[in-house]
Structures are given as structure tokens and as C-alpha cells.
Amino acid sequence: MSSCENFRFIENYRPWRDLTFKFYADGKLTIIDNRTGLVVAPRDLKGESRDFYVRKRIAFIKNDLVAKRLRQAN
């Protein structure tokens, strides 16, 4: 089982979705609509939830690259 980081995001504007983003250490992602319990695809995100996803994904990739570079240095 791989570790994961959970982030909850509640949209301020319609459709006011309450989402949980699960970023797994192996690069996988799961987005869950907390109201319905359904999985949401990244392509279905719009507006501020899409912006949140993109910022978190970029941060995840940067952190992963730094960790890999540090492992190579040792």
C-alpha cells in the first residue's frame, strides 16, 4: 500500500462541490466528490477546483523531482 496525501477542497462558487484529492506517492490520483461519494476525473474539474488540482499536482511533481535528485546525490 502506498502512502498518500489527502486534501479537501470546497468550491466557493457553483456547483459548490466538496472534493477530496488523494495524491499517492506512486503518482496516482483519486478525486472524490464528498457529497455523492463518486470519483471525479481531473478533466471534469472547472474553475477554482481545477486551479487547486493543477497547483497541487505541480507541487507534487516538484517535490518528487527534488527527492529523486537528493537520492542520486547520495
Side-chain angles (χ1 to χ4, degrees):
M1 178 132 192
S2 67
S3 64
C4 93
E5 288 186 73
N6 294 315
F7 298 96
R8 185 172 181 191
F9 183 80
I10 301 172
E11 295 177 335
N12 292 314
Y13 305 100
R14 283 187 171 178
W16 298 299
R17 290 190 290 188
D18 178 3
L19 304 170
T20 296
F21 292 78
K22 295 184 175 193
F23 290 92
Y24 294 90
D26 62 2
K28 292 181 187 174
L29 167 73
T30 303
I31 306 169
I32 301 169
D33 184 324
N34 294 318
R35 187 177 55 83
T36 63
L38 297 174
V39 174
V40 177
R43 69 178 169 271
D44 295 331
L45 298 174
K46 294 180 178 138
E48 59 186 341
S49 60
R50 183 178 184 93
D51 183 55
F52 177 84
Y53 159 70
V54 169
R55 283 186 281 119
K56 289 296 182 187
R57 180 57 106 185
I58 290 170
F60 175 83
I61 292 167
K62 282 182 180 179
N63 290 337
D64 187 53
L65 289 172
V66 167
K68 287 178 180 175
R69 195 170 6 173
L70 289 173
R71 275 184 259 147
Q72 291 290 331
N74 290 329

